[in-house]
Amino acid sequence: MQRIISKLVKKHMSRNPIEIADNLGIIILYEPLGNINGYYSAAFRQKFIHINRDLPEHKIKFTAAHELGHAILHPKLNTLFLKEKTYMSVNKFEIQANKFAINLLISDEQLDEHEGLTTEQIARFYGYNKSLIQLRLNRKI
């Protein structure tokens, strides 16, 4: 996964998931989604990232990165269908998308700057959940 992220960052010269998605031709739609942060879908070979327009900016960025992870890692997987119709656990795919997102948004170099800080301190600094930072600190992805 780290190789995929490195290639994306190098090719698009950005860690911004919205810029990367745009460069890849993935359409981002900002919609009123209630209590859903976002989701990924594809129709007729076109990929879409749906983001709740009512989210604060930092959550929009993380949601975009998470859904970009689905678009790249699981392009044909319909997690909504799996969850609603088959009752199959989609946790594995969600964890992979979270790992993709947090590794895209926080580089190794940025992480190295915070050496010696606790997970909670790093989480507060970046504004992400402590469990996401723990995923990022585990560099074996």
Side-chain angles (χ1 to χ4, degrees), residues 2 7 11 22 24 33 48 50-51 56 63 66 69 77 83 87 93 95 100 104 106 112-113 117 121 123-124:
Q2 192 64 37
K7 284 182 180 180
K11 180 179 180 180
D22 186 51
L24 292 173
L33 298 177
F48 299 90
H50 306 260
I51 298 177
T63 301
H66 176 94
L77 187 68
K83 192 188 287 186
Y87 304 107
F93 305 113
I95 291 168
F100 178 93
L104 175 64
I106 302 174
D112 289 343
E113 291 175 11
L117 296 181
Q121 289 171 322
R124 272 188 268 136

Side-chain angles (χ1 to χ4, degrees), residues 2-35:
Q2 192 64 37
R3 219 174 2 183
I4 294 168
I5 293 168
S6 294
K7 284 182 180 180
L8 278 174
V9 170
K10 186 176 181 178
K11 180 179 180 180
H12 301 285
M13 295 183 294
S14 176
R15 288 188 166 275
N16 184 321
I18 295 169
E19 284 179 29
I20 295 170
D22 186 51
N23 291 343
L24 292 173
I26 300 171
I27 296 171
I28 297 180
L29 303 168
Y30 297 91
E31 307 167 305
L33 298 177
N35 62 354

Side-chain angles (χ1 to χ4, degrees), residues 2-140:
Q2 192 64 37
R3 219 174 2 183
I4 294 168
I5 293 168
S6 294
K7 284 182 180 180
L8 278 174
V9 170
K10 186 176 181 178
K11 180 179 180 180
H12 301 285
M13 295 183 294
S14 176
R15 288 188 166 275
N16 184 321
I18 295 169
E19 284 179 29
I20 295 170
D22 186 51
N23 291 343
L24 292 173
I26 300 171
I27 296 171
I28 297 180
L29 303 168
Y30 297 91
E31 307 167 305
L33 298 177
N35 62 354
I36 296 172
N37 289 345
Y39 64 96
Y40 161 76
S41 68
F44 306 107
R45 291 193 234 173
Q46 177 61 59
K47 295 178 180 182
F48 299 90
I49 291 175
H50 306 260
I51 298 177
N52 188 334
R53 69 177 180 207
D54 299 322
L55 293 176
E57 186 61 36
H58 75 282
K59 280 194 175 186
I60 286 175
K61 195 171 185 179
F62 181 82
T63 301
H66 176 94
E67 301 308 334
L68 180 62
H70 283 304
I72 291 170
L73 302 173
H74 320 120
K76 296 182 180 181
L77 187 68
N78 184 338
T79 55
L80 282 176
F81 175 82
L82 288 175
K83 192 188 287 186
E84 298 296 321
K85 303 296 183 195
T86 69
Y87 304 107
M88 182 179 159
S89 174
V90 295
N91 286 345
K92 172 184 169 185
F93 305 113
E94 293 303 317
I95 291 168
Q96 286 175 347
N98 279 342
K99 281 184 181 181
F100 178 93
I102 202 69
N103 278 276
L104 175 64
L105 294 170
I106 302 174
S107 70
D108 284 346
E109 294 78 21
Q110 289 172 301
L111 204 55
D112 289 343
E113 291 175 11
H114 304 292
E115 192 174 329
L117 296 181
T118 67
T119 304
E120 192 163 318
Q121 289 171 322
I122 297 169
R124 272 188 268 136
F125 179 83
Y126 286 106
Y128 297 123
N129 184 299
K130 186 177 167 184
S131 63
L132 290 171
I133 298 301
Q134 193 59 52
L135 278 176
R136 181 60 186 96
L137 291 171
N138 180 6
R139 295 182 189 215
K140 295 181 241 164

